[in-house]
Amino acid sequence: MYDPVNKLHLNDLSDLYSVSHDDNWIYLESKAHLLPEYGWKIHISSTPNDFFKTLERVSLIAERKRDTFKFPVNYHAMLALTTGGTKMESQGKMITIYPADQSFNNLKNYAEELNHVLDNEKFPMIRWDYQFKNKNIFFRFGGFKTIYKSNSLGYLVPAIKEHDQIKFDDRKSLSQSNRLEFLSDKEDENVRLITKLKSLGFTKPKRIVATSKGNSFVAYLNNKKLFIKQSYSNELVDHLNRSAADRLKNEYIYLKKANQLIDSAQAISLIKEKNESFLVEEFLEGYPLMDYFRKGKYYHQSKSKRNEFISKLVHKLFIDIKVLHENGIIFRDISPGNVVITNNGNVILTDYELANGISNLKPYVGATPGFFSIREKGNKRLSTARDTYGLGALIFYVTTSVKSIFTEEINDTKMAINKLRKIAYSINSNLNFPHAESFVLL
């Protein structure tokens, strides 16, 4: 149970701290020290399973020093920091300490004290922080108080006030201050991965996607164009201690199975290293379905051509999903980002990371918002119904350009159907839609 109030005895700290919270964090603001406007922050990362053990040990040190610190407000906010549910620059930052004493000696002493009490073997990396001794202790120079500055486009972005000047607080850069000499130097991750792929025999590697759990590349081997996914062994760690690298292995296993059953990108190899893994597969020349509207492919076609495309798309996906189900496989993440339309017009399911056998009761957690039912409690549905719902949501998307995501929380099935029906009717007003009572929401 996520209960930091009692675990940390927060009610006993009222003389030392002002305790507050928002949608994401619980803040313990020191009454002994004024919070500086900027300086070196300390970030502590952790897996979900180790979080409370880590929080209890870290909080004792911060409280003894009477320093301000914060941690996630609830279980879901905590999970978001380890599962890709926040921006990349926030991933892994489970606990943040704001040292009032910014002297070199105090910061070094902080690092040593934390190092002495923390024994986490697996933890998410914080990509744009300096790390201390290969531990889950990270430092970053930046603003302590939230202020903003308009950029060239007029958007408000995080800023830092330093020496009476307000400048942008680039949270993906380490150049805002010189590295403290007791911290590890920072290697450019893209350069490291490009070098690694070349050492494995690949040529012309180019990173096309970077996420908190890993990276994606286009590269060549023997003049053949390939798609390579890389995942870290310490990211996206779940309650069963399975990581993003384990998910990649799961994807390789089910992609190999799919290769024997339906049209799919050919799985070529899985390269396992100590700290990461690489999945090498055929590169599909085409575009993801999520670009169908974005690139104007929908609007530049006649209505008959659009209907022909949608009919072909739905029929092909229906057949492929049916075949997978008949062979005991649930895809579990049917969404626009996981469907590719090849240049020759073929429709192919991609990204088998969440795929699961019908008999396997321990699937990987995950889903694309808008493409799994509101009836799911959590997002670990094991039955083929998840794929049925996902296909239905996909049909709704390609016929309306709207994803079935609600800004408000809706838990009533009939209410959800009525809202979707009104959207579909307003966009396709010449069609007759049945009443909500005649729908069956899986």
Side-chain angles (χ1 to χ4, degrees), residues 69-242:
F69 64 103
K70 70 177 182 180
F71 53 86
V73 69
N74 54 40
Y75 182 72
H76 295 291
M78 184 265 288
L79 281 184
L81 292 166
T82 60
T83 58
T86 64
K87 293 181 179 179
M88 278 187 67
E89 56 266 35
S90 300
Q91 281 294 291
K93 298 177 180 178
M94 312 291 278
I95 307 165
T96 302
I97 304 171
Y98 303 88
D101 181 356
Q102 287 284 309
S103 67
F104 177 88
N105 288 338
N106 181 60
L107 294 173
K108 184 178 181 181
N109 176 260
Y110 236 129
E112 295 289 359
E113 285 194 58
L114 290 166
N115 180 57
H116 180 71
V117 301
L118 295 176
D119 55 4
N120 305 56
E121 295 182 358
K122 186 178 286 189
F123 50 86
M125 293 293 291
I126 300 177
R127 300 293 162 193
W128 291 285
D129 283 21
Y130 289 113
Q131 188 177 12
F132 180 71
K133 290 186 176 180
N134 296 318
K135 298 294 287 289
N136 56 323
I137 305 164
F138 299 84
F139 284 72
R140 185 186 169 278
F141 189 88
F144 281 15
K145 297 180 179 180
T146 304
I147 59 174
Y148 295 93
K149 180 181 179 180
S150 296
N151 63 14
S152 59
L153 298 176
Y155 294 109
L156 291 176
V157 295
I160 176 174
K161 184 177 181 181
E162 185 177 8
H163 305 307
D164 295 326
Q165 288 188 333
I166 297 179
K167 58 184 183 180
F168 294 118
D169 188 2
D170 187 351
R171 297 176 182 179
K172 292 185 179 180
S173 171
L174 289 170
S175 61
Q176 296 184 142
S177 181
N178 294 327
R179 174 177 60 89
L180 297 168
E181 65 181 34
F182 61 85
L183 300 174
S184 305
D185 203 358
K186 195 72 176 175
E187 183 180 11
D188 186 292
E189 186 65 358
N190 186 41
V191 172
R192 182 191 74 80
L193 288 168
I194 292 291
T195 303
K196 177 67 178 179
L197 289 173
K198 288 181 178 179
S199 74
L200 293 171
F202 299 100
T203 59
K204 301 179 183 178
K206 179 181 179 181
R207 184 164 69 178
I208 54 175
V209 176
T211 68
S212 58
K213 67 179 180 180
N215 302 266
S216 297
F217 296 84
V218 172
Y220 292 82
L221 185 64
N222 299 325
N223 293 320
K224 183 178 181 180
K225 192 175 184 180
L226 301 170
F227 179 65
I228 302 174
K229 292 180 71 173
Q230 173 265 351
S231 291
Y232 299 104
S233 300
N234 57 354
E235 298 290 352
L236 227 64
V237 178
D238 65 14
H239 64 292
L240 296 176
N241 213 34
R242 301 176 300 185

Side-chain angles (χ1 to χ4, degrees), residues 3-117:
D3 186 15
V5 173
N6 290 318
K7 286 183 182 292
L8 300 185
H9 307 287
L10 297 187
N11 292 328
D12 297 333
L13 299 176
S14 58
D15 291 339
L16 305 175
Y17 286 93
S18 297
V19 181
S20 61
H21 69 87
D22 57 23
D23 291 341
N24 299 306
W25 301 100
I26 291 178
Y27 302 88
L28 274 76
E29 187 169 352
S30 173
K31 293 182 177 180
H33 305 299
L34 289 175
L35 190 66
E37 291 188 334
Y38 59 87
W40 286 97
K41 307 174 186 179
I42 304 175
H43 292 125
I44 308 297
S45 69
S46 167
T47 63
N49 284 355
D50 290 339
F51 175 69
F52 265 116
K53 176 185 72 174
T54 303
L55 178 59
E56 288 172 345
R57 294 177 181 182
V58 170
S59 64
L60 287 175
I61 295 175
E63 289 169 16
R64 178 164 48 79
K65 291 177 177 287
R66 303 293 188 264
D67 278 329
T68 295
F69 64 103
K70 70 177 182 180
F71 53 86
V73 69
N74 54 40
Y75 182 72
H76 295 291
M78 184 265 288
L79 281 184
L81 292 166
T82 60
T83 58
T86 64
K87 293 181 179 179
M88 278 187 67
E89 56 266 35
S90 300
Q91 281 294 291
K93 298 177 180 178
M94 312 291 278
I95 307 165
T96 302
I97 304 171
Y98 303 88
D101 181 356
Q102 287 284 309
S103 67
F104 177 88
N105 288 338
N106 181 60
L107 294 173
K108 184 178 181 181
N109 176 260
Y110 236 129
E112 295 289 359
E113 285 194 58
L114 290 166
N115 180 57
H116 180 71
V117 301

Side-chain angles (χ1 to χ4, degrees), residues 275-294:
N275 297 317
E276 60 195 346
S277 292
F278 298 87
L279 169 59
V280 184
E281 62 184 72
E282 171 192 7
F283 184 87
L284 297 175
E285 297 285 358
Y287 65 93
L289 184 60
M290 64 182 178
D291 287 348
Y292 179 51
F293 296 100
R294 188 184 307 166

